[in-house]
């Protein structure tokens, strides 16, 4: 898998976790994530963040992830990708 695939997965992740994507796209993401440790890690941290947001936010709040949390996660994700590229030489 190339890093560019990870970026595509990242771009779709919040919709993926909200079950807003067509089944074929979900399957592509599933199969990518299954074989991509940085994405596994990222999905887990994103899920946790969403759960935390839902615990502290009002139930009628439609946004799954506030912008600061999203920016923080994106930074963590970019860092994970950079480390992975470094490890691959
Ligand atoms: Zn990936």
């Amino acid at each position: 898998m190339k890093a560019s695939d990870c970026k595509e997965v990242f771009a779709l992740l919040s919709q993926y976790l909200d079950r807003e994507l067509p089944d074929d796209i979900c399957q592509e993401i599933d199969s990518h994530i299954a074989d991509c440790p940085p994405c596994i890690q990222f999905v887990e941290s994103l899920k946790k963040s969403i759960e935390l947001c839902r615990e502290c936010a009002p139930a009628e709040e439609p946004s799954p992830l506030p912008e600061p949390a999203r920016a923080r996660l994106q930074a963590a994700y970019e860092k994970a990708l950079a480390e992975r590229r470094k490890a691959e030489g």
Side-chain angles (χ1 to χ4, degrees):
M1 275 301 168
K2 285 175 296 203
S4 60
D5 294 316
C6 292
K7 293 207 180 221
E8 282 174 34
V9 169
F10 174 76
L12 295 170
L13 260 187
S14 64
Q15 289 159 277
Y16 166 78
L17 291 176
D18 282 341
R19 310 263 186 270
E20 287 172 1
L21 295 172
D23 282 352
D24 56 334
I25 309 270
C26 283
Q27 276 164 21
E28 277 181 41
I29 292 176
D30 279 341
S31 63
H32 173 93
I33 287 172
D35 197 29
C36 187
C39 282
I40 295 170
Q41 218 173 22
F42 186 68
V43 168
E44 290 307 311
S45 64
L46 188 58
K47 277 185 191 166
K48 279 194 198 112
S49 297
I50 290 173
E51 279 164 23
L52 286 176
C53 287
R54 284 186 178 149
E55 278 170 23
C56 61
E60 65 268 25
E61 176 62 56
S63 172
L65 202 57
E67 197 52 44
R70 192 180 287 268
R72 227 175 22 246
L73 281 168
Q74 178 145 21
Y77 189 66
E78 296 286 343
K79 189 166 164 255
L81 286 185
E83 280 170 8
R84 185 162 174 250
R85 277 198 293 269
K86 217 161 44 184
E88 284 172 352

